[in-house]
Amino acid sequence: MNSIEALPNSVGSASFAQFTVSPPRVIVNPNRSYPIESAIQNAGRFAINVLPASERNLMIRLMGVRRRQPGKAKVLGIQLSEDAHKIPYLSQALRVVFCEVERTVESGDRRLYVARVLESRLNPKFTSELPLLFPEVSDRLSLTFAFPKPARKLLQRSGVWDFLKKSRQKLRPPPPANIAL
């Protein structure tokens, strides 16, 4: 994650939080089952890319890629940029917040990363746009198996529900065993 050549990891996330105002700090709590967590831990630096609402389809595509898919940016054809911070970021982001980890807090099955904001950069190309919010993409995700409760119960009793789940796994198989290479 220190340079573009290091094949940075990408994840679509619904949240990060402001930790302090002065000095500016954020807190992120990535799921350990995503490769971004180990990338943040190893590099100690990361970028938060806030997408404009016009990039909704990009976020849906990103969220649709398997969790442990190596090189998500390359798979999706996303162009990453890098500047003096040596932290890869999305050039089509509305705002990019460049961060450096100051502290790691163990919290059960996750780690909290408290990071100092190195720079917050607004993309002049998108100044008139609003940020993309999670509800604007979550409706797409809920359509995958969004059945009314009575229909879902009927499908479960008949065994069709299990068939649908297995079919989905065949269409979107789990990642290869050795993803570290």
Side-chain angles (χ1 to χ4, degrees):
M1 198 150 138
N2 286 330
S3 70
I4 289 176
E5 292 79 35
L7 291 174
N9 289 286
S10 306
V11 65
S13 177
S15 66
F16 66 95
Q18 178 180 334
F19 189 64
T20 61
V21 175
S22 183
R25 288 189 180 99
V26 296
I27 190 165
V28 294
N29 186 14
N31 187 325
R32 286 190 184 179
S33 64
Y34 286 80
I36 192 73
E37 197 275 338
S38 60
I40 291 172
Q41 182 182 19
N42 294 334
R45 298 163 67 96
F46 60 93
I48 297 170
N49 298 279
V50 179
L51 292 177
S54 62
E55 292 290 343
R56 179 179 184 270
N57 289 335
L58 171 61
M59 179 56 81
I60 289 171
R61 287 183 13 241
L62 179 60
M63 293 172 85
V65 174
R66 289 188 324 217
R67 168 185 310 184
R68 291 193 149 295
Q69 172 70 45
K72 287 181 185 179
K74 190 174 182 178
V75 168
L76 293 171
I78 297 172
Q79 184 65 32
L80 294 173
S81 300
E82 189 176 283
D83 66 359
H85 294 296
K86 300 289 186 206
I87 301 171
Y89 67 95
L90 294 172
S91 55
Q92 65 264 49
L94 170 69
R95 179 174 297 276
V96 180
V97 182
F98 297 95
C99 304
E100 186 168 61
V101 175
E102 286 188 335
R103 188 173 0 146
T104 304
V105 180
E106 295 293 329
S107 60
D109 64 341
R110 292 190 180 207
R111 288 186 186 101
L112 297 172
Y113 292 96
V114 178
R116 179 172 47 95
V117 174
L118 302 172
E119 179 186 355
S120 178
R121 184 182 306 158
L122 183 63
N123 188 336
K125 188 167 122 181
F126 299 109
T127 53
S128 64
E129 285 200 51
L130 294 173
L132 179 64
L133 301 176
F134 187 70
E136 295 168 1
V137 292
S138 62
D139 65 334
R140 156 61 174 82
L141 299 174
S142 64
L143 293 176
T144 309
F145 282 118
F147 292 98
K149 194 170 184 175
R152 193 169 53 241
K153 281 189 172 192
L154 178 64
L155 291 171
Q156 288 171 336
R157 283 190 209 130
S158 67
V160 173
W161 188 258
D162 289 333
F163 172 77
L164 290 172
K165 286 169 61 176
K166 286 179 185 177
S167 297
R168 182 174 185 229
Q169 287 176 336
K170 286 181 182 179
L171 294 172
R172 197 169 169 197
N178 188 358
I179 62 169
L181 296 177

